[in-house]
Amino acid sequence: MTAGPTTIDGGLDRSVIAAATAVQDLMRADLMRLIGQEAAVVAAAPAGAGKSHFVAATVGRLRAEGLRVALSAPTNDQVQSLVERVKQLNPDLPVAFVHGQGRELPAEIAALPGVTQPPAADAQARQEPLVIATLDKLADAFLRNGLGGFDVLVIDEAYQADAARYYTAAAVAPTHLLVGDTGQLDPFSTLDDATYWRGGPEDPLQTAVGVLLRNHPGTPVHQIPVTWRLEPRAVPIARCFYPGHPFSAAVLPGVRELRLTRPGPGSQALAPVDAALDEAARHGWAHVTLPGAPVLSADPATAVIIREMVHRLLARSAQVRCENLAGFASLRPADIAVGVSHNDQKDLLRALLDSCGLSGVRVDTANRLQGLTFEVVVAWHPLAGAAVTDAFHLDPGRLCVLLTRHRQACIVVGRDTDRALLEGVPPATPGYLGFDPDPVLDGWHAHEGAFRLLEPHVIPA
Amino acid sequence: MSTALEAYFAARIYQEGKALRRTALRHVHLADPPLAVAIWRLGGERFRAAAIAWGPLDGPFQLAVPGEPRNRDLYFAALQPFAADLCARIRRAAASRVARQRGSETEEIPADAPQIVVPNRATVSALGLLGRYLAYLSDRGGVVPDPALVEAGRHLRFYARNARVPGQSLLTALDQLVAGHWATLLSPFEQANLAVLDAQIEPGPGRHPFEASAAAEATARIGPEPTEDIDRTTEVLLARFNAARGTSSDPAVTGPLAGPLREHYHRLTEPVWQLMERVVSRERQLPAAPSVYRRFESDRAAFGRHVDWVVNQGGYYRTTDTPRQAAITLRRLEDTLARYEADRAVEDPALMIGHLLAGDAIRGTVASLSETKVVANVRPVRRAVIALDSPDPVILPAGKRLWWTATAGGLPWEVQSVQPDGAGSRVVLMLTGKPAPERLPAAGEVITLSTLHTGTAAFWLMPQESPPWTHRPAAPPPVPEPIDAGDFEQPPAPVDAAAAQDPGRYT
């Protein structure tokens, strides 16, 4: 039940799809025109725009032209799913997955016909026509084993890749296609003074797209105007994170539906949980607010209510319908994700969910949920119970990832004092010469917009 | 940093009326004595030092006061003794070398490196700015600046840039050192004031740290930025000095005239010097953590490379990094930071408390130690399994990897299961490698395991020298005009505001 343009059927908005197809054709034409030159094409996409599908299809076309392609992304999870995607669309294409130690493909992907996992030196010796690897591995293989000489380098999630990683990997091919989501989390560093280079052309923490456009401002940038994952009710909130980038849902209103086949509430204590589930099923959104209190980041009360939410969702035999399905299908634990901001929140929830047999439900931080799709998402609001706002929790990318992973419904869990944090004057923020965006003020603005649009769906707990 | 621990500290400090130590060990090298530096600027003049005090911290300081720091000749003449002394100390320290063995490589590193301590981080950036100013001095107007000034500028630049390295102790900001070692009731902004921090630690008999800090904040003056009252006095003295010297910049004339200004800055520096002495001797009482030596060894190696480059080879540093240098630096600093944080918590039980509270670490008694066989790849291999009884409830998912603090540089243990056990938990862990005796705790032993490890960071190769086209501008940037251009041009005539046309009016 993954989102994707593979099963174009009824229930879709033809005009939106036609506009998106036109942009994609234009991008491929641009790329083909630039083959052989030191040049690039950038594709900026909103959440769920079918980026991976576009990447996989484009790789197929490039291979059909006889071009040698390196396909990359920043993380191991991302490249592994790219292997799967490429094989789905191009079953006959041989794929060489070059990986680091202990990062082999999962057995089911490795078993796909035509997928090999050669050492980097062998991949180069055999002149493998399509190599897939993380940016770090690609860089390492280039330096250590001379893996290179490709015609095209394709990078997915290029707004998450930093300039430092791109530096080495960029040398493997002259022509690049950079595809990414501008709303997601920016490259991140553990350093206190990570802004040391900010604004300078050498900044290793600017995005791969950032460094490319800075040095080559004439590079064509295309905006993909569609989201396949999100349905029309989810789009207004998602737009808060993509200022200046218009897009619409590919699916028509009312085509998707989340249905709870057993009525709530189960008990007095569960009433708010069931009310939130009903609200989410009806409107696609629910914002559950616990009473305001200053709490630790891994707040047990919030974790327990999230567990109840997941538990009740399955206990009430939730079913979903969508453009890819003929009728209703039962919601499985694997269709549900819980998104958090901190690892201690993740550990607490993992233990709580495991203890009641919900191991199939994915719990992860926003950083690791990037690029993934689920039917229903329960999001632990980054500002939940915070006493003050800070750059980490205001990061628009974090909230964007949490609020744009779902196909059917998203339940946000926070506290009723969270919104008050954004009342009044935004904080003073430092300015950097040569660096226009202001992550804190952008985050302030995006958070404010999301709170406002969630207001009709507030369920006090 | 654990919020719960911070809350605990705040409550106890409030109750007991004084700051509390955060650490059981000292995590920064402290020379005996270090070279201390204090700087004063004129208000609004960020790029010139109005006074520099320096010297070993166990004795009186020397003071350089140019009188009028905005006059190039006076400024250079006053800075010369400071620059010459700094260069001499650095060359002397770098001259005697010892061998350091790393794997199969032997490196000759300086036996010692001068450690500079300053009262606060603002002085670190002030030294960096001073270094940047001096390191690129040109011979404009035909006047060749003293080579010691240029060399000192390049040393200061190295020291200030190296101050970014987590855990380094070549240039130590004492406010940072104290804030890292002590829990106080101060906000991050207040912690930048060394006198206020010191008042929290020793508020004096019968005084609450709040009052002591408030009093210190109101009275203590620490550079480099002058307060308004300092500037008011300075302005009067400076005006008198300038009136008396006329256009002269001859040291024989200006030297005696600068007496009152020198006295003024001497008076200001004296309490700062005493404060630094008190703070350093208090921190030195704590025993140094085992890894302090290794970190200072890395500092000495970096210092040795710097001296080789600048003094022996006459090399220059770029004013800004190349994309390649920035990428390498970022990665090095991140690796160093991870290692520093792990070292501190693994060596210092007081610092592990925060990790225990945050759920990154567990502590308990080894209830049993057994062996099992698991299938790794193809064949079954031996694995050690321990059951750990923790008095506290443990929340950890199965599969989480933890390192025993005694073997934090070795193999991790993997959580197999967590079961409630009375008020606490029983955690079963399996070692992820061969059960060699030195890797195993004994039954009955109380041990700590955490997510922190001190193993060497993954080996990575330096990026290629020549930048890819993506990291090179399409057109080379315009050549900047020389910094001295226009020095001899007539300044534009002043504009009479009443006569000027209103640019907002379009007719």
Side-chain angles (χ1 to χ4, degrees), chain A residues 276-309:
Chain A
L277 293 177
D278 290 331
E279 177 75 17
R282 210 171 304 126
H283 299 291
W285 291 104
H287 184 190
V288 182
T289 55
L290 290 150
V295 291
L296 299 176
S297 77
D299 168 40
T302 311
V304 166
I305 204 164
I306 290 175
R307 181 194 61 186
E308 293 304 328
M309 206 78 73

Side-chain angles (χ1 to χ4, degrees), chain A residues 80 99-104:
Chain A
Q80 291 182 357
H99 59 79
Q101 203 180 3
R103 298 293 190 173
E104 295 84 5

